[in-house]
Amino acid sequence: DSLRHSQTRMNAYRALASPSLMILSSDDPILTAFELSWELYHLSFSEVEFKEEYIKLSEQCTKFAVDLLDQTRGSQELKVILNRTTDQQEILALEETTEHGDQGDQSAGHNMNLSRFKLAIEYRQKEFIAHPNCQQLLSHIWYQGIPGWRQGTIFYKAGFTFLISATFPFTSLFYILFPFTKPAKVLKNPFVK
């Protein structure tokens, strides 16, 4: 019977979308919430009769991931959450990086892989991406190494932008010739690029 099958499936997804079940049964509840939200959203198009309920469950999973993000108490916890990866190749690459003594760069934001953030983009988790904690960390990474940018006046920002734009050919050549010097590290900044 197709109705019984659809109702059984709906009840199973109601149970799976429960935040307490995700916390207790999953090693990675944020990834589970992303995947389940994505699956439920796509199921809403195949099971049109239960579309509203599937979309509501999908939104519940999205809200659960955002609620977990709300629980972070500091930027270090946020970095741990956003840099968590389940890809074995990425894990091995990160272990090699820390074995070679590059941990100082990671704390400065140069080697942050932001794999959880990339997953949120892949699974179209807009609320997670737009969360103030994520946006604050991204702006910190974006403007890192530029003193006083976030507190600077409009004249300071316009002058700095003009200076970077006017000297771009020279700074690019400098970066190609001397990539490991201190001034070149400022040129690695995403905002300057």
Side-chain angles (χ1 to χ4, degrees):
D1 185 22
S2 65
L3 179 62
R4 181 176 293 158
H5 174 71
S6 294
Q7 287 176 337
T8 303
R9 179 191 283 180
M10 175 57 70
N11 290 333
Y13 276 114
R14 278 189 192 118
L16 289 173
S18 166
S20 56
L21 182 67
M22 281 190 263
I23 287 282
L24 292 173
S25 65
S26 176
D27 290 338
D28 192 349
I30 292 177
L31 177 62
T32 303
F34 287 171
E35 290 173 342
L36 193 56
S37 174
W38 181 256
E39 186 176 341
L40 287 165
Y41 179 74
H42 286 287
L43 260 173
S44 71
F45 294 108
S46 63
E47 297 245 358
V48 185
E49 298 82 16
F50 296 103
K51 182 175 185 161
E52 289 180 24
E53 292 180 45
Y54 279 121
I55 288 178
K56 187 188 295 184
L57 288 174
S58 174
E59 290 170 355
Q60 177 181 327
C61 292
T62 299
K63 184 181 179 321
F64 171 67
V66 171
D67 288 345
L68 285 177
L69 198 57
D70 273 334
Q71 299 302 316
T72 57
R73 293 174 288 190
S75 58
Q76 192 60 36
E77 283 184 5
L78 184 63
K79 287 176 186 176
V80 168
I81 288 173
L82 293 180
N83 287 322
R84 176 152 186 205
T85 183
T86 53
D87 183 21
Q88 283 299 101
Q89 291 176 340
E90 274 189 48
I91 292 171
L92 292 174
L94 287 173
E95 286 176 359
E96 285 180 21
T97 303
T98 54
E99 284 176 10
H100 297 312
D102 294 340
Q103 274 185 314
D105 278 351
Q106 186 170 5
S107 65
H110 296 295
N111 287 334
M112 283 206 276
N113 60 6
L114 299 175
S115 60
R116 194 54 32 134
F117 195 78
K118 292 173 187 172
L119 265 177
I121 293 170
E122 184 179 321
Y123 285 114
R124 297 183 182 162
Q125 300 292 311
K126 295 175 186 173
E127 291 85 4
F128 189 89
I129 295 165
H131 193 278
N133 293 353
C134 287
Q135 293 302 310
Q136 192 272 336
L137 180 65
L138 286 178
S139 68
H140 172 73
I141 293 169
W142 189 259
Y143 298 116
Q144 188 172 11
I146 301 174
W149 179 264
R150 294 179 78 189
Q151 296 83 18
T153 65
I154 190 75
F155 298 113
Y156 172 76
K157 292 177 182 182
F160 186 83
T161 304
F162 177 74
L163 181 68
I164 292 296
S165 300
T167 60
F168 181 73
F170 307 110
T171 56
S172 298
L173 185 61
F174 179 82
Y175 182 76
I176 290 171
L177 296 175
F178 308 105
F180 300 110
T181 61
K182 246 185 184 175
K185 286 185 180 180
V186 173
L187 299 174
K188 281 185 177 181
N189 185 299
F191 177 72
V192 175
K193 286 181 182 177

